[in-house]
Amino acid sequence: ETGVTQTPRHLVMGMTNKKSLKCEQHLGHNAMYWYKQSAKKPLELMFVYSLEERVENNSVPSRFSPECPNSSHLFLHLHTLQPEDSALYLCASSQAPTPDSGNTIYFGEGSWLTVV
Amino acid sequence: EDQVTQSPEALRLQEGESSSLNCSYTVSGLRGLFWYRQDPGKGPEFLFTLYSAGEEKEKERLKATLTKKESFLHITAPKPEDSATYLCAVQAVFQGAQKLVFGQGTRLTINP
């Protein structure tokens, strides 16, 4: 039990489908993250919500849309994806940083996405 | 630009054979350097945070050290259950939030 729960663990979707990934954290944190992990590439940050405000990340295509209804829940809405979007999508949470220091980021088990 | 490079990419050891993994980094204002362990098909599991040069932390057979340019993860007398990918990341603060910049990882295999 990591304290960060992701569903579904596995998802196969067609390029015209709309689906969503869900994340819930039970750690009392106030920042949540989506990371993408592709084969042979480092983990890449997609989105951050800190103190319930979204921090923009301009390098993420608009076919990925995050939603953070409260500090415990985070969604990633998927629409018109491409096969190259197949990857492990990891949710994480932490306390928001202070001006002097950051805080440990804890990860969920991930959602394996295959786009066909 | 913040950057993390890990070496080697893969390391195969015999049980009991000690070794070290390297993490070189460049970051504008280090807030923390993190080590994670990732098993196949699972999310990264937090191991250590190091904040300043000279700092060391230990957990069972693992010991992490930090200098101004790199960090080492020393593994002493490893067991097969230590087989995993070890990820290094530096913490950066941006727009009032924080993020981790990861290296590609070292895939460690311990043979019995």
Side-chain angles (χ1 to χ4, degrees):
Chain A
E1 175 58 53
T2 65
V4 180
T5 305
Q6 290 188 240
T7 55
R9 291 296 317 279
H10 298 271
L11 177 63
V12 179
M13 60 185 289
M15 289 190 284
T16 58
N17 290 160
K18 287 186 183 181
K19 296 284 184 183
S20 296
L21 306 180
K22 178 184 174 182
C23 177
E24 182 175 1
Q25 60 95 2
H26 313 276
L27 300 169
H29 291 159
N30 53 18
M32 296 189 79
Y33 312 79
W34 281 115
Y35 277 83
K36 177 182 178 181
Q37 188 172 34
S38 306
K40 304 204 174 184
K41 291 176 76 174
L43 273 81
E44 304 170 70
L45 179 67
M46 299 178 72
F47 300 105
V48 180
Y49 280 84
S50 185
L51 302 174
E52 298 187 22
E53 285 193 17
R54 177 178 165 183
V55 180
E56 294 293 335
N57 188 315
N58 294 329
S59 63
V60 181
S62 59
R63 58 186 182 270
F64 295 94
S65 174
E67 178 190 1
C68 188
N70 54 60
S71 61
S72 298
H73 293 87
L74 184 65
F75 296 89
L76 187 63
H77 302 300
L78 314 170
H79 175 51
T80 321
L81 295 192
Q82 305 298 312
E84 58 265 29
D85 295 322
S86 299
L88 178 65
Y89 289 85
L90 290 159
C91 175
S93 73
S94 74
Q95 287 299 115
T98 66
D100 297 324
S101 70
N103 292 295
T104 301
I105 296 177
Y106 295 91
F107 287 84
E109 296 285 37
S111 292
W112 282 100
L113 173 67
T114 303
V115 182
V116 297
Chain B
E1 184 184 340
D2 301 331
Q3 200 163 5
V4 177
T5 303
Q6 291 187 246
S7 61
E9 269 190 41
L11 180 62
R12 199 175 278 272
L13 301 172
Q14 290 298 122
E15 184 172 0
E17 182 184 359
S18 301
S19 188
S20 298
L21 313 182
N22 178 263
C23 171
S24 299
Y25 65 90
T26 53
V27 64
S28 51
L30 181 69
R31 297 296 187 96
L33 184 139
F34 291 76
W35 284 98
Y36 288 84
R37 170 193 169 126
Q38 186 174 25
D39 293 302
K42 296 198 169 184
E45 175 190 345
F46 171 70
L47 293 174
F48 304 109
T49 310
L50 301 166
Y51 290 105
S52 56
E55 190 174 357
E56 298 183 354
K57 289 197 175 167
E58 285 188 65
K59 180 180 179 179
E60 296 181 356
R61 295 175 291 283
L62 298 176
K63 178 180 174 181
T65 62
L66 181 65
T67 72
K68 287 187 178 178
K69 292 184 179 180
E70 57 191 351
S71 177
F72 291 93
L73 185 65
H74 307 279
I75 182 159
T76 304
K79 298 182 178 182
E81 55 262 41
D82 295 320
S83 298
T85 296
Y86 290 85
L87 302 171
C88 173
V90 293
Q91 191 170 54
V93 174
F94 74 113
Q95 300 179 45
Q98 64 180 4
K99 65 177 180 179
L100 292 175
V101 178
F102 282 88
Q104 286 196 288
T106 293
R107 190 173 65 256
L108 178 65
T109 304
I110 309 297
N111 295 316

